[in-house]
Amino acid sequence: MTSDHITVDHAADIDRQVRVYVVVFVALLALTLVTVAVSYLDLPPAMAIAVALLVATVKGSLVACYFMHLISEKKLIYVVLVITAIKFVALLALPAVTHSNGFWIDE
Amino acid sequence: MEIPYTFEVRRDTGLTNGKIGLWLFLASEVMLFGALFASYILIRTGAPNWPRGDTILNVPLATFNTIVLISSSVTMVMAWASLVRGSFATFRIYMGATILLGFVFLVVKYFEYSHKFHDGLYPSTNNFLAIYFTLTGLHMLHVAGGMALNAWFWGPGAKLWKTNPVWFTNRVEHSGLFWHFVDLVWIFLFPTLYLL
């Protein structure tokens, strides 16, 4: 067995990581309360959507970077994710495109 | 023939096959949920009016469920960290907690669903409820799937720990990647459906 097949193999490293997990957990809880609190402010819809998605993106990034270890992952995983991200954006943009030119939707 | 690179890393990728396979699977999952999110945007922007989620759905219950799923992500990653530390007993506790929290999530969702049905609100009632039930229903299937996988590693699958602890630790990490993804999807579903 080589020493590099587990990303963390030193007790000190994993202790440090566990402390990071706890900090991320507290941040996620706080951001959840922020999302709910903001929804009670009755912001204009565009503003409300922007804030909610921004907070969700920050939370999602925390989960992906720390719990899913993307902060220190191998290059091939990043390549897969960049390709996925491009296709995901295209997928989400599709409704916007169809909507703006009225090609598929009768307005 | 044995599957190669289950616990030893490939020199060129620096990864085990399991991990790259799991990430490719998650990429396909992103597109699956992405298609439904795109449908949601299309239906919502095309609708003459759209209800705010909190006028129909129960925000306190969903907030509680958000906290439950976030907590389960922490217990999941702690289960993996316990194996890295070599402590199987601690792994069992954290993995058990993860499964239990998943179960709590499903029970809360059951009450939410049955309350809607009781009020005569079905997927066929309107477009909002149709997309709500589709997205949360698919997500619930993922929670159930993740729980089944975690239960396997908590129970019979844990035999691998005795013969090949590194492979078992990797498997738990990969199971965790799926579980965190399910948490991540909920992080976006919650504000989209309940708060906007």
Side-chain angles (χ1 to χ4, degrees), chain B residues 18-84:
Chain B
K19 186 179 259 187
I20 189 73
L22 204 288
W23 273 109
L24 286 172
F25 170 62
L26 290 187
S28 79
E29 291 276 83
V30 167
M31 298 313 276
L32 172 65
F33 279 100
L36 286 170
F37 266 105
S39 310
Y40 167 84
I41 296 170
L42 187 66
I43 292 169
R44 180 166 182 168
T45 52
N49 48 50
W50 192 262
R52 249 181 77 138
D54 56 7
T55 57
I56 297 174
L57 306 173
N58 190 325
V59 175
L61 271 188
T63 308
F64 174 75
N65 251 355
T66 305
I67 293 168
V68 166
L69 266 201
I70 289 171
S71 308
S72 78
S73 255
V74 179
T75 54
M76 182 77 225
V77 84
M78 293 300 287
W80 168 79
S82 306
L83 289 181
V84 175

Side-chain angles (χ1 to χ4, degrees), chain A residues 31 48-61, chain B residues 188:
Chain A
L31 287 170
I49 291 171
V51 172
L53 288 186
L54 181 73
V55 177
T57 306
V58 172
K59 286 170 73 182
S61 305
Chain B
F188 282 93

